[in-house]
Amino acid sequence: MKEATAVYPGTFDPMTKGHFDLIRRSAGLFDRLIVAVAGISPKPTRLFGIEERLEMVRESIAEEGLGNVTVLPLDCLLVEFCRRHGVRAVVRGLRAYSDFEYEFQMALTNRRLAPEVETLFLMPNEEHSYITASTVREVARYGGETAYFVPPCVERHLRAFLAAHPEQRIQGGAIGNTGAFDR
């Protein structure tokens, strides 16, 4: 019997409970899951570097005891990564209809580049479907409580990062400053 391996790629800056929901569920669907953390991102508002994002994902997976999940850096085209690691399935999350157009374009592009690689779309649990890493970064920068949105180890990393980088904090504004990270 052939071992089924999938890859779940993303920037995970930071990893949210929605991301982790997809990791947990994908790990149950495949013999092996590779979480591929993108080192390069077009997103200008990144908080964490590649090493810390890899560490947060690994810690979350270890805390959950997901033995069939591996975390690796993604430093090339996704289809090339799939070929290097013998992966034939890519898992992508769809939170809302607005995600569909971008994900559909990427899936068709990947299919053109590597017809042997299939893209599977999963929806996160509805309680996490509205959570985005961008929203978590904004809430954290304003000092808001992020524990509901991210796994516990990610919350610890957010607190440590903002304590070490006070220039990343934003005072005032629409969300307000609750001082949640000052505890």
Side-chain angles (χ1 to χ4, degrees):
M1 185 173 180
K2 198 173 189 181
E3 182 180 272
T5 301
V7 63
Y8 177 42
T11 54
F12 305 104
D13 185 36
M15 183 173 67
T16 68
K17 286 185 177 178
H19 291 133
F20 197 74
D21 175 54
L22 293 182
I23 290 169
R24 185 183 311 110
R25 290 174 39 228
S26 297
L29 294 172
F30 294 93
D31 298 315
R32 183 170 169 246
L33 177 68
I34 301 171
V35 177
V37 179
I40 299 171
S41 171
K43 299 174 185 177
T45 58
R46 269 196 341 212
L47 273 184
F48 298 104
I50 182 67
E51 291 304 321
E52 192 154 17
R53 288 182 284 131
L54 287 163
E55 183 180 334
M56 285 187 281
V57 176
R58 287 179 179 134
E59 285 179 34
S60 294
I61 288 165
E63 287 175 1
E64 189 74 13
L66 298 174
N68 65 330
V69 180
T70 305
V71 182
L72 298 173
L74 175 62
D75 59 358
C76 60
L77 280 175
L78 179 59
V79 294
E80 180 58 32
F81 183 90
C82 290
R83 286 181 180 130
R84 283 185 200 166
H85 296 280
V87 174
R88 304 252 341 249
V90 174
V91 174
R92 296 296 295 164
L94 291 177
R95 293 181 311 257
Y97 184 74
S98 57
D99 290 341
F100 180 76
E101 185 175 357
Y102 173 79
E103 294 297 343
F104 184 70
Q105 289 174 333
M106 292 307 302
L108 291 178
T109 301
N110 288 339
R111 181 183 289 165
R112 175 63 62 185
L113 296 172
E116 71 278 10
V117 177
E118 292 291 341
T119 300
L120 307 171
F121 296 109
L122 290 177
M123 296 177 294
N125 185 304
E126 56 274 358
E127 73 180 286
H128 305 305
S129 64
Y130 68 93
I131 301 171
T132 67
S134 299
T135 300
V136 170
R137 287 192 303 271
E138 185 174 354
V139 169
R141 283 180 164 144
Y142 276 102
E145 184 61 52
T146 58
Y148 179 78
F149 308 118
V150 297
C153 79
V154 175
E155 174 74 7
R156 290 189 300 272
H157 279 267
L158 280 167
R159 287 182 187 182
F161 178 85
L162 290 170
H165 298 89
E167 73 281 1
Q168 289 288 328
R169 288 180 178 229
I170 301 170
Q171 300 299 318
I175 295 177
N177 185 359
T178 65
F181 292 100
D182 296 329
R183 292 185 213 152

